[in-house]
Amino acid sequence: MSTEAMLASELRDTSHGSGQSGHVVRLGSARGNWFRRVGWRHVVGVIALFFAIFPILFVVSAAFNPQGTLSSSTLIPRDASFANFDTLFSETSFWRWFANSLLISLLSAALSLFISAAAAYAFSRYRFRGRRAGMLFILLVQMFPQFLAIVAIYLIFVEISELYPAIGFNTPWSLILLFLGGALGVNTWLMKGFFDTIPKDLDESAKVDGATHAQIYFGIILPLVTPILAITGLLSFISTMSEFIISSVFLTEDSAKTAAVGLYGLISAQRNANFGVFAAGALIVAIPIVVLFQFLQRYIVGGITAGAVKG
Amino acid sequence: MATVTLDKVNKQYENGYHAVHDLDLEIADGEFLVLVGPSGCGKSTALRMVAGLEDISTGVMKIGDRVVNTLSPRERDIAMVFQSYALYPHMTVAENIGYGLKIRRMDKTEIRRRVERAAEMLELGPMLDRKPKQLSGGQRQRVAMGRAIVREPQVFLMDEPLSNLDAKLRVQMRAEIGQIQHDLNVTTLYVTHDQIEAMTMGDRVAVIKSGILQQVGAPQYLYDNPANLFVAGFIGSPPMNMGMGRIIRHGEGLGLRFGSRTLALTGSVLTDHPSLGQWVDRPVAVGIRSEDMEDAGVLREAAAPDSTLVATVGLTEALGSEIVVHFDLDVPPVENEETRALAEDSGADDTGLRSNGTRFVASFAPRSRVRIGDQIEVVVDVARLHFFDPDSGLTLKG
Amino acid sequence: MASPVEHVRESGAPAAAGGPPPPGGLMRLAGPGGRPLGLILKLLLLAVAAAIAVWAAIPLIDAGNWIGLAIVIVATIAIFVIYLSPRMIPAKYLVIGTLFLLGFQVAPIIYTLTTAFTNFGDGHRGSKDEAIAAIESASITQAPGSEVYALSIGTEPDGDLVFLLTDAQGAAFAGTAAGLEPLVPGTFSAGATGKITEAEGFTVLNVGEASARGAEIAEFSVPTDDGAIRSQGLSTAFEGIAGQNYQADCDCITDINTGTVFTADNDIGSFVDPNGNALAQGWKVGVGFENFTDALTNPTIAGSFFKILLWNFAFALLVPVLTFALGLALAMLFNSEELRGRRIYRSLLILPYAMPGFAMLLVWRDMFNADFGLINNLFGLSVDWLGGEWTARLAVLIIQLWMGFPYMFLVCTGALQSIPSDLVEAAGVDGARPGYAFRTITFPLLLVATGPLLITTFAFNFNNFNAIYLTTGGGPFPADNPTAGATDLLISYTYRLAFGGQGADYGFAAAISVLIFLIVAVISIIGFRRTRVLEEVN
């Protein structure tokens, strides 16, 4: 029996009941129906919301907790002040860290998007020797736990730092370059799947109209894949903002640190005492991501699976 | 404008599949040539080779006097209409139509002038600022046409442009495309699997099967003089009736033993087909068009017994102007590679493969009063019979 | 109709009808309509590439790094060939990404792979010669009556350290890692204590600069005939003699004070005395598959290895399953048209995914704190969450559920919306109950859509280092084995082996990395095969 059929039979039952037992019962029964159809969803939804939100509430409350220690932080703030923020801004290089984070994350997200989308276009649109092998290779490389190669990466960058201090340790470029190494990766697959859903006729039509491959890519394909570009860009921005293992190896000077490395340093040294300051910093870091997320939510819902369906 | 010449063009894929065999075709300047055949016969591949979307394995392809084998599509000065229309979803109608001109860096005012003129021709004026998503199927089709028209190319290429439209729109657009082509007088290569489109639109029709060209000619010529069983069965609706018969000596001349009856082959038949004498006592494949049969009952005078066939009516369709009658004849079906290809194309319809004979379809005059189950006498216009070699499938020549 | 032809000609497009056809080659250059902008852009980009190549080549030439130079040249030539050729179109879109991939992913991986077959680690870093030099210089002690120098720390133009020395007689020397060179009088000036304050060709560091490189200076030694000159503080240096000396004829090191002879064992890369005691400093040698056999057969290592592997699988499987189950349940919960406020619910529910992950992991760790943690406070519990083996595992899973379910919620919402509703309705018409229709229609279609994502989630969590390192740190640890904790994943375990406090063992860590790679790769390939993603490649 379909849902509609069930609802219909329920409705029939209630109207039947109303004839016998009068208004009070009918109203009560209707309310029961509302609960069975919609109300319980709100109950479960609120429980889920609590699970999703309370750690965030805790962070907010800790950030505004004037005592600033972990042990004095509660879910509902007893008192509120900007003391932790003041400490964060005056006693640490937080804005510098935050700027570094934004620079590294924005640039590496944008550049790797560019690289990844170009590769996805080639894999989706052209048949060439080594295509299949290339795609499998990209997938396989991703399965190697990259940061376990950190000894090798470190040694490579020791060499680079010596030869080219401008892109060596303690510069944002070192991290950006390293992250670009991962540009051909899972995202390329995701995007290739999305590119495949765009009919090839469009390319061919443009070709006959006289467009070059570059005009087709920039003028026809890219505008049509904006949703997936937005998603992959956002996801790679988020993961770069949160990255801290490799960053902590690469960025040791205070002025070069990212927010993740800097904030981690705060509580690895003084876990209890600096908790409020840490929470304040984490909150500020979260703001751009949360805003972007709400903004791009529509794309995300459709986009991830659209690519996934096609693989 | 230009002629398009294909000289022994071949397409063989890397996996060995031979899609087009030694295709020779010449499309005259301003001509509308329709390439027709069952799906998968290589007609689209041939079109895409003209467009430059597929490489040419061997042979020479010329547009005008230029050999274009290695030229990219943009260098060939052609325009193409796709089956899916291939409209750019993110551009407005005007941008879609003007895209090819913009790519060629044409002056903006000139682009607008041309787009507006094309839009007017196609009655798209009010739609110019809409996106393709907001258009109906027919309107999208017009935009696709508009995109080809504004380019003012040397050649139009159309790949089943009407197959996504419903039947009524298809008839309308068929006429419109024909009109536009006639007005612009641009050399056109049109691919379709629908033989009605081929018959109604083409100056000439080229029938292709399994990558091999079967016959080229004016539509009526192909209808009247099919070169082989395949063309005979593919062109025309309903398709030509076919059955196995045997040539015998009959009276003074020859006769066709067709099931339980014998049809006398006299006079003009023998002069039209002098070689029939060599086929005495041999089986031949016989083709009869539906309009070349008539209900003996509607004739004023009684027909001679050696000009009629006898059958039981299986189904009648009264269309007003004629009655289409289906009946089973006690003749063996023609079974060879060509009839199998035809059966496959028509969706493995069981025509000609019945155990109790072969199903024939005739169109009788509306005066005929035949009903399902009636035993009828069918008069055959023997002068319009088609004879084929059952092994090679070729029309008996001479 | 003639006018279209005229237009075509005006627009500069080829018009074969009016005149001799332009030859193809010329056309390709000029192009119908041309593309001067594209051409200028392309040339500009190639110019940038050439500039970068020159910028990259100069330090390589200075350093005599010919292999590096060859790589730069080959890469530059490849870029020029690919972008100037009218063919090789796919390569134009792939080459930049491929270069980055090779340089920063493939090269480190290959290096790691080769490391897996060596004993590379603390005590086994460099070559045998480097080991000998290190042993000798470490054993240097100040012999009574040996020369004492006044020391200034300087640098060479390339930044390398140099000891600027003045002996008791006032003679001055420059001591580098290569040896001792006398300074020509007049090219330097010395202060009252004899310390050199200025020297031609060198930069003298001030005390602040010198102390910043203190560790380097303490290690630095200038080889001499009898031993080496080492620093003592930042302003004096002495010449000492090596207590342990290498002799090439016996390939051994003799300790002058004790007379013990340490013979080189080239299989294990150490100097070993007859009792089997090895010197701390050894060198890097190939050890074949020893690291792998160790991991799988050595009872203490293998015991923890398989235990960790089991938990690793449980973790990597449970996280996608739990997050998917919760995400799907919520997606279905909010997939009702009648429900008001769906947008608000959705916006709030995805917040965990938008919060910075590293910070939230640390916050969760503190919320599970036994003494003042929020969880215990909130629910009035007194559980030592991260102290117990199973509670720690549960805590880690809860944290990952929180981190991951919003993503699955988004994915499932999208997938549910993409399943045509008439399919479910058709099942209803066929008489299927809602639960049955879900099981037989909706769920299989959902799995098709989300299957690849589940596999990538699995692969990601198999190596989810942060999830462990930032929360439990792998703990709690059993009393008898401080290297393998209850919540350790292979990757956090490996990290501890490679960088932990007990001395780094990169070779062994690399071997484990290779094993992890093989496991993840095999499982993912099987998974992708089953979801038929790989077939799409054809």
Side-chain angles (χ1 to χ4, degrees):
Chain A
M1 204 172 9
S2 75
T3 342
E4 280 111 295
M6 271 173 61
L7 285 177
S9 75
E10 275 168 26
L11 285 172
R12 229 177 296 124
D13 287 348
T14 47
S15 60
H16 186 66
S18 74
Q20 289 188 329
S21 322
H23 279 285
V24 184
V25 177
R26 195 181 69 86
L27 276 174
S29 158
R31 201 167 289 150
N33 266 333
W34 177 85
F35 186 81
R36 278 173 67 183
R37 285 199 322 270
V38 184
W40 68 275
R41 291 175 195 268
H42 282 293
V43 174
V44 181
V46 168
I47 294 172
L49 269 192
F50 176 76
F51 177 59
I53 297 295
F54 86 90
I56 299 169
L57 273 185
F58 180 61
V59 175
V60 174
S61 142
F64 290 100
N65 174 10
Q67 278 156 294
T69 60
L70 173 61
S71 43
S72 65
S73 296
T74 51
L75 192 57
I76 311 298
R78 271 166 284 189
D79 203 357
S81 81
F82 284 95
N84 292 321
F85 293 91
D86 288 339
T87 316
L88 184 70
F89 300 150
S90 59
E91 288 173 28
T92 72
S93 323
F94 178 76
W95 290 120
R96 185 66 200 259
W97 298 340
F98 192 44
N100 288 337
S101 275
L102 285 179
L103 176 76
I104 291 172
S105 304
L106 280 176
L107 269 179
S108 58
L111 292 175
S112 60
L113 201 59
F114 186 77
I115 290 174
S116 197
Y121 174 65
F123 283 129
S124 169
R125 287 324 208 230
Y126 290 91
R127 299 289 174 273
F128 51 92
R129 242 187 311 146
R131 170 175 171 273
R132 191 183 148 79
M135 291 212 63
L136 292 181
F137 180 72
I138 285 176
L139 199 64
L140 275 183
V141 167
Q142 296 305 306
M143 312 228 159
F144 197 89
Q146 194 212 9
F147 101 93
L148 279 183
I150 197 162
V151 177
I153 292 171
Y154 182 81
L155 292 176
I156 288 176
F157 271 90
V158 166
E159 193 78 2
I160 289 181
S161 302
E162 217 159 88
L163 291 166
Y164 320 105
I167 58 167
F169 289 131
N170 287 314
T171 66
W173 300 107
S174 58
L175 277 180
I176 292 172
L177 284 178
L178 180 64
F179 293 152
L180 287 187
L184 285 192
V186 175
N187 284 348
T188 314
W189 274 74
L190 192 70
M191 281 198 251
K192 187 238 161 206
F194 201 83
F195 280 35
D196 284 346
T197 63
I198 293 171
K200 250 193 137 170
D201 279 2
L202 292 187
D203 304 40
E204 294 187 336
S205 174
K207 224 186 220 176
V208 173
D209 273 347
T212 61
H213 62 87
Q215 283 169 327
I216 294 172
Y217 175 59
F218 289 107
I220 307 285
I221 304 290
L222 278 192
L224 293 176
V225 296
T226 341
I228 199 74
L229 292 184
I231 294 160
T232 38
L234 177 65
L235 295 187
S236 104
F237 177 80
I238 291 174
S239 64
T240 320
M241 281 296 271
S242 281
E243 204 292 322
F244 105 103
I245 301 275
I246 293 177
S247 309
S248 64
V249 172
F250 273 45
L251 312 173
T252 47
E253 280 173 17
D254 189 62
S255 64
K257 283 179 180 170
T258 59
V261 176
L263 291 176
Y264 182 72
L266 281 182
I267 56 167
S268 70
Q270 291 279 334
R271 182 159 162 195
N272 188 16
N274 283 340
F275 190 77
V277 183
F278 169 83
L283 218 51
I284 295 176
V285 173
I287 289 171
I289 309 179
V290 171
V291 170
L292 271 178
F293 236 96
Q294 300 300 345
F295 192 62
L296 296 173
Q297 203 192 116
R298 191 166 45 91
Y299 282 145
I300 296 166
V301 171
I304 299 176
T305 36
V309 173
K310 286 289 284 181
Chain B
M1 261 155 275
T3 57
V4 176
T5 315
L6 284 77
D7 186 6
K8 294 239 175 315
V9 167
N10 276 279
K11 175 72 193 182
Q12 191 156 17
Y13 288 99
E14 269 175 31
N15 61 17
Y17 179 63
H18 206 150
V20 175
H21 281 271
D22 285 342
L23 183 57
D24 284 318
L25 211 54
E26 175 144 0
I27 311 167
D29 193 1
E31 186 183 22
F32 195 119
L33 186 113
V34 179
L35 202 49
V36 67
S39 52
C41 69
K43 58 190 189 300
S44 281
T45 311
L47 181 88
R48 291 165 56 82
M49 282 196 282
V50 180
L53 295 172
E54 298 271 2
D55 291 334
I56 296 162
S57 303
T58 61
V60 180
M61 168 95 59
K62 282 160 95 179
I63 296 178
D65 299 327
R66 273 195 303 153
V67 175
V68 297
N69 281 38
T70 57
L71 294 190
S72 70
R74 61 184 270 121
E75 295 159 322
R76 295 191 185 195
D77 199 17
I78 45 163
M80 183 158 164
V81 180
F82 289 77
Q83 181 174 3
S84 65
Y85 316 140
L87 303 183
Y88 312 124
H90 57 302
M91 298 183 191
T92 63
V93 168
E95 287 166 338
N96 260 289
I97 296 178
Y99 181 73
L101 306 177
K102 195 177 140 208
I103 285 284
R104 286 175 159 71
R105 313 204 167 278
M106 187 181 276
D107 177 55
K108 277 213 179 76
T109 54
E110 171 66 9
I111 294 181
R112 200 165 60 219
R113 200 179 62 76
R114 284 210 203 181
V115 169
E116 275 165 8
R117 203 177 55 186
E120 196 181 326
M121 193 189 288
L122 294 161
E123 293 163 19
L124 282 172
M127 322 277 171
L128 279 177
D129 292 325
R130 295 200 193 161
K131 292 272 175 70
K133 215 190 282 179
Q134 298 161 287
L135 302 182
S136 70
Q139 288 165 338
R140 289 180 204 183
Q141 217 288 326
R142 285 163 204 264
V143 177
M145 280 300 296
R147 212 159 56 174
I149 292 171
V150 286
R151 291 265 315 283
E152 298 176 0
Q154 297 195 50
V155 182
F156 282 152
L157 302 173
M158 305 194 189
D159 189 2
E160 310 213 13
L162 303 182
S163 62
N164 283 350
L165 296 179
D166 62 47
K168 204 169 170 189
L169 260 176
R170 201 178 307 172
V171 173
Q172 186 193 340
M173 283 310 294
R174 212 156 72 194
E176 284 189 27
I177 290 179
Q179 186 66 48
I180 289 166
Q181 196 272 339
H182 183 260
D183 291 347
L184 300 177
N185 198 27
V186 177
T187 313
T188 302
L189 179 57
Y190 185 105
V191 160
T192 180
H193 67 270
D194 179 354
Q195 59 90 22
I196 297 180
E197 267 174 42
M199 295 290 284
T200 50
M201 299 176 78
D203 293 331
R204 282 192 305 153
V205 175
V207 182
I208 190 167
K209 175 187 137 252
S210 310
I212 299 170
L213 184 63
Q214 305 290 311
Q215 192 176 8
V216 195
Q220 195 60 46
Y221 183 82
L222 293 191
Y223 187 83
D224 292 337
N225 303 288
N228 58 34
L229 278 170
F230 181 79
V231 177
F234 193 79
I235 298 289
S237 175
M240 186 187 278
N241 301 294
M242 292 172 191
M244 292 300 292
R246 180 178 280 274
I247 303 292
I248 54 167
R249 303 227 168 263
H250 180 70
E252 297 293 294
L254 297 177
L256 172 66
R257 187 75 190 161
F258 207 53
S260 55
R261 294 293 182 102
T262 301
L263 299 173
L265 304 176
T266 52
S268 65
V269 183
L270 294 179
T271 47
D272 286 351
H273 302 279
S275 65
L276 272 179
Q278 299 159 20
W279 286 81
V280 172
D281 288 334
R282 286 165 64 188
V284 290
V286 179
I288 313 173
R289 293 269 181 213
S290 66
E291 68 272 24
D292 297 332
M293 292 181 275
E294 187 52 272
D295 176 11
V298 304
L299 297 182
R300 248 172 268 158
E301 46 203 86
D306 58 1
S307 68
T308 62
L309 301 171
V310 66
T312 309
V313 175
L315 177 71
T316 62
E317 300 167 294
L319 301 181
S321 61
E322 58 181 8
I323 296 178
V324 178
V325 179
H326 301 242
F327 52 85
D328 291 324
L329 267 189
D330 54 349
V331 297
V334 180
E335 283 191 70
N336 67 3
E337 188 254 324
E338 306 202 344
T339 52
R340 272 192 293 277
L342 287 169
E344 217 169 274
D345 181 52
S346 61
D349 183 70
D350 61 357
T351 316
L353 293 172
R354 303 206 146 196
S355 54
N356 57 344
T358 306
R359 175 141 288 202
F360 271 47
V361 180
S363 36
F364 291 168
R367 298 191 306 280
S368 171
R369 292 284 174 266
V370 300
R371 291 183 181 193
I372 294 175
D374 287 357
Q375 181 92 9
I376 51 166
E377 292 275 322
V378 181
V379 183
V380 176
D381 182 354
V382 287
R384 294 186 59 86
L385 286 178
H386 299 266
F387 298 100
F388 304 91
D389 179 337
D391 296 324
S392 68
L394 294 178
T395 296
L396 297 188
K397 293 247 172 67
Chain C
M1 184 168 158
S3 68
V5 185
E6 299 304 319
H7 286 304
V8 171
R9 235 179 275 146
E10 280 164 18
S11 71
L26 192 79
M27 278 202 25
R28 203 171 295 144
L29 248 165
R35 34 180 172 138
L37 186 72
L39 198 68
I40 290 169
L41 260 173
K42 185 194 264 191
L43 291 178
L44 209 70
L45 285 173
L46 284 178
V48 170
I52 291 176
V54 170
W55 174 80
I58 291 171
L60 288 171
I61 295 170
D62 284 347
N65 188 338
W66 307 123
I67 297 175
L69 189 66
I71 293 173
V72 168
I73 290 173
V74 168
T76 313
I77 289 176
I79 289 176
F80 269 77
V81 168
I82 287 170
Y83 285 105
L84 286 177
S85 152
R87 304 206 156 265
M88 296 198 282
I89 293 170
K92 294 183 212 292
Y93 289 88
L94 287 167
V95 64
I96 302 290
T98 309
L99 287 178
F100 277 109
L101 184 75
L102 291 179
F104 298 115
Q105 291 226 298
V106 176
I109 288 174
I110 290 174
Y111 183 86
T112 309
L113 286 180
T114 57
T115 308
F117 297 95
T118 69
N119 61 354
F120 186 36
D122 279 354
H124 298 274
R125 282 177 190 275
S127 66
K128 189 172 176 183
D129 289 341
E130 285 167 351
I132 291 166
I135 290 170
E136 285 183 343
S137 88
S139 70
I140 286 167
T141 47
Q142 185 172 7
S146 66
E147 188 74 57
V148 175
Y149 300 91
L151 168 70
S152 292
I153 314 290
T155 56
E156 292 188 86
D158 59 6
D160 286 351
L161 278 181
V162 62
F163 279 1
L164 299 167
L165 305 162
T166 327
D167 65 13
Q169 290 76 39
F173 305 90
T176 63
L180 206 58
E181 290 286 333
L183 288 177
V184 182
T187 63
F188 64 92
S189 51
T193 56
K195 273 189 72 165
I196 292 170
T197 52
E198 244 179 282
E200 246 177 67
F202 303 105
T203 313
V204 177
L205 301 184
N206 64 34
V207 180
E209 288 165 343
S211 56
R213 298 179 69 167
E216 214 182 321
I217 291 163
E219 289 290 309
F220 192 76
S221 71
V222 182
T224 60
D225 295 340
D226 308 324
I229 296 169
R230 300 186 58 122
S231 64
Q232 191 171 46
L234 292 177
S235 49
T236 43
F238 62 88
E239 179 169 10
I241 46 166
Q244 292 173 328
N245 275 318
Y246 176 74
Q247 275 122 2
D249 48 356
C250 66
D251 196 14
C252 64
I253 282 178
T254 314
D255 192 307
I256 295 170
N257 302 322
T258 63
T260 318
V261 176
F262 296 86
T263 316
D265 183 336
N266 287 316
D267 288 337
I268 60 166
S270 294
F271 291 102
V272 190
D273 76 1
N275 301 327
N277 301 318
L279 289 175
Q281 186 67 48
W283 62 98
K284 192 169 124 183
V285 291
V287 293
F289 283 92
E290 198 181 293
N291 290 323
F292 294 92
T293 49
D294 255 10
L296 300 173
T297 57
N298 179 321
T300 46
I301 300 177
S304 38
F305 179 81
F306 284 111
K307 201 173 141 219
I308 291 170
L309 185 64
L310 196 67
W311 159 244
N312 205 148
F313 267 110
F315 176 81
L317 283 172
L318 280 172
V319 172
V321 167
L322 292 175
T323 51
F324 181 71
L326 182 56
L328 175 59
L330 290 174
M332 291 176 59
L333 187 75
F334 295 120
N335 203 24
S336 160
E337 293 292 333
E338 285 180 272
L339 192 72
R340 288 183 177 209
R342 282 191 296 167
R343 271 186 64 89
I344 297 171
Y345 274 121
R346 195 178 290 164
S347 301
L348 291 175
L349 273 177
I350 60 169
L351 276 182
Y353 192 52
M355 295 295 288
F358 77 99
M360 293 316 293
L361 285 169
L362 294 168
V363 169
W364 270 100
R365 176 189 71 182
D366 291 328
M367 292 199 306
F368 275 117
N369 188 299
D371 301 325
F372 41 72
L374 182 72
I375 307 274
N376 278 351
N377 281 345
L378 209 58
F379 298 102
L381 301 171
S382 57
V383 179
D384 184 8
W385 288 93
L386 304 185
E389 198 174 317
W390 288 103
T391 47
R393 287 178 185 150
L394 181 64
V396 168
L397 286 174
I398 291 175
I399 297 170
Q400 285 312 304
L401 179 62
W402 185 84
M403 307 273 295
F405 87 87
Y407 178 72
M408 290 295 179
F409 169 62
L410 286 179
V411 168
C412 288
T413 304
L416 275 180
Q417 287 170 358
S418 72
I419 292 175
S421 59
D422 51 357
L423 283 181
V424 180
E425 282 160 16
V429 172
D430 287 345
R433 290 185 160 277
Y436 185 75
F438 173 78
R439 236 186 14 255
T440 53
I441 312 251
T442 314
F443 192 66
L445 284 173
L446 263 178
L447 274 190
V448 170
T450 55
L453 287 176
L454 289 174
I455 294 165
T456 42
T457 310
F458 167 84
F460 173 78
N461 277 294
F462 199 89
N463 289 324
N464 197 341
F465 178 77
N466 284 1
I468 303 302
Y469 182 76
L470 295 181
T471 55
T472 62
F477 295 95
D480 55 337
N481 188 355
T483 56
T487 55
D488 254 331
L489 300 181
L490 283 176
I491 195 158
S492 58
Y493 170 65
T494 316
Y495 181 81
R496 199 171 305 115
L497 289 179
F499 307 102
Q502 305 179 334
D505 190 348
Y506 302 131
F508 187 67
I512 306 257
S513 313
V514 172
L515 290 178
I516 295 176
F517 168 68
L518 289 178
I519 294 168
V520 180
V522 166
I523 292 172
S524 302
I525 286 172
I526 293 171
F528 276 116
R529 275 259 146 90
R530 300 207 93 188
T531 56
R532 319 223 157 209
V533 168
L534 291 183
E535 269 131 75
E536 291 274 340
V537 180
N538 291 322

